[in-house]
Amino acid sequence: MNYPRVLCLGEVLFDLLADQAGQPLETVKSWTPYPGGAPANVACALVKLGVSAGFVGCVGKDEPGESLVQLLAKEGVDCRGIQRHETAPTRQVYVLRSAEGDIASATRSDRTFAGFKDAAPDEFADTYLSAKDLSVELFEHAEFLVLGTLEMAYPHSREAINRALKLADIYDVKVLLDVNRRDVFWPNPEESPALIAELLKRIDFLKVTVEEAEWLFNTTDPGAITYRLDGIEGVLVTDGNKGCAYCLGENEGILPAFDVNASDTTGAGDGFVAGIVQQICQHGISSFQDAEKVKLMVQFATAVGAMTTLKPGAIAAQPTRAEVEAFLASH
């Protein structure tokens, strides 16, 4: 039996994007659903880049949950790690647009996560991911575990993350954390810094935005963050269309972003994460000894992120490895 090389644990959901720009939640008349959730996006992107990936999470026994599982399976993601909750619904998050224009032209800065309408953030199926029902077999055969922090907000899924990290330690699975801060998901946002700080002690790679780096470390310097997180193997600090700073092994640098005509920035960070994981899987951590190779690895990830912005929808826009290589050859 084949097992995925990378496990992506966390949320899969629908982003309900407001069709009417500039309207508050109460007056928006219609919404367009887009499949999302950072770990699910990363899993789909990895498969397109030629790395086998599995999604680990929980959905409701409802139509949205079933359609998301079918989408992941269609994309080639291993779905054996998906749990289904009997009563809690699959998460849908309402996203407002501040800018005029069509959905495709809305960028991340134009969007606001407006919450869950009449539901509390802890009422959805993903919060009930069960620690005891995690597949040990999947972890036994995996090389990488990709995590976000949103599921740290809820007791059940937090327990599942803790068990996943224990399994990763037992089976020597490398762990990458993408902080992906979203206060609207936290019933008590003031709890997030302490919980994330504990998580930072148990990972091998960290990806943060410049805003998240300032929030957690009061610096955006990946070398300084690496020093503070003793024993970590790599830190990547992304800054949207301004590029990325990195520290992998002993090598540090800053790379500009590719200048592209972005249509939709949703999932660009997830594409970047998939790109760097694909490169580490392909070249190995020993490649961090070579400064030029490290630069090319980060450049590859940056290209994946840029290409993900060229079409609407995080998953639909994701490039294949051949497309990324062609993009790099022409840029």
Side-chain angles (χ1 to χ4, degrees):
M1 183 180 290
N2 294 324
Y3 293 92
R5 295 179 70 182
V6 181
L7 299 177
C8 301
L9 187 152
E11 68 281 355
V12 61
L13 49 79
F14 276 109
D15 289 321
L16 300 179
L17 196 59
D19 293 329
Q20 293 80 41
Q23 297 289 322
L25 182 67
E26 297 77 19
T27 60
V28 173
K29 295 183 175 64
S30 59
W31 308 81
T32 298
Y34 283 97
N41 290 342
V42 173
C44 291
L46 280 166
V47 172
K48 291 180 183 178
L49 294 173
V51 178
S52 58
F55 177 73
V56 179
C58 186
V59 298
K61 285 191 172 180
D62 51 22
E63 192 281 327
E66 188 55 37
S67 65
L68 287 168
V69 174
Q70 288 180 8
L71 171 67
L72 292 176
K74 182 181 176 184
E75 294 292 330
V77 174
D78 188 299
C79 295
R80 282 174 286 182
I82 296 180
Q83 302 172 15
R84 289 170 171 82
H85 196 273
E86 289 288 342
T87 56
T90 300
R91 188 182 296 273
Q92 300 184 76
V93 57
Y94 290 87
V95 185
L96 300 177
R97 293 190 294 126
S98 60
E100 292 297 331
D102 61 21
I103 288 172
S105 67
T107 65
R108 179 169 174 169
S109 61
D110 297 324
R111 299 176 178 188
T112 304
F113 285 86
F116 312 99
K117 273 205 169 174
D118 298 326
D122 57 358
E123 292 180 6
F124 296 95
D126 58 279
T127 73
Y128 291 99
L129 181 65
S130 167
K132 68 179 179 62
D133 293 323
L134 292 179
S135 169
V136 175
E137 210 171 15
L138 288 175
F139 284 85
E140 187 179 357
H141 292 86
E143 298 172 30
F144 245 103
L145 172 64
V146 176
L147 292 172
T149 65
L150 301 186
E151 297 305 319
M152 289 295 289
Y154 319 107
H156 286 94
S157 51
R158 183 160 62 240
E159 184 183 348
I161 286 176
N162 285 328
R163 181 158 190 255
L165 289 168
K166 288 177 183 176
L167 290 171
D169 190 45
I170 291 168
Y171 295 111
D172 197 24
V173 178
K174 296 295 182 184
V175 180
L176 182 146
L177 177 70
D178 179 5
V179 170
N180 196 31
R181 181 185 181 187
R182 298 278 187 273
D183 281 353
V184 71
F185 281 75
W186 289 76
N188 300 296
E190 68 278 3
E191 294 178 353
S192 63
L195 289 170
I196 292 171
E198 287 301 308
L199 201 53
L200 292 171
K201 299 174 183 177
R202 306 172 68 184
I203 64 172
D204 302 290
F205 296 92
L206 174 67
K207 182 264 182 189
V208 285
T209 65
V210 289
E211 297 85 2
E212 291 163 349
E214 285 283 7
W215 176 59
L216 288 169
F217 305 105
N218 293 315
T219 180
T220 61
D221 183 341
I225 296 170
T226 300
Y227 180 79
R228 198 171 306 178
L229 299 176
D230 186 37
I232 201 166
E233 299 185 58
V235 173
L236 302 121
V237 182
T238 58
D239 193 10
N241 60 10
K242 295 179 183 176
C244 168
Y246 63 89
C247 179
L248 293 173
E250 299 294 321
N251 295 296
E252 297 183 49
I254 300 174
L255 284 178
F258 288 97
D259 186 13
V260 297
N261 186 20
S263 171
D264 178 6
T265 59
T266 305
D270 306 328
F272 178 91
V273 168
I276 200 65
V277 171
Q278 187 274 342
Q279 287 289 287
I280 297 172
C281 285
Q282 180 180 346
H283 298 292
I285 291 172
S286 61
S287 61
F288 292 174
Q289 298 169 16
D290 185 329
E292 185 60 28
K293 185 168 285 187
V294 166
K295 180 181 176 182
L296 292 173
M297 291 168 72
V298 178
Q299 191 174 59
F300 182 95
T302 303
V304 178
M307 295 180 74
T308 304
T309 72
L310 297 177
K311 302 174 189 174
I315 294 174
Q318 293 165 343
T320 64
R321 179 176 164 183
E323 288 170 339
V324 178
E325 290 171 349
F327 177 89
L328 288 168
S330 65
H331 287 73

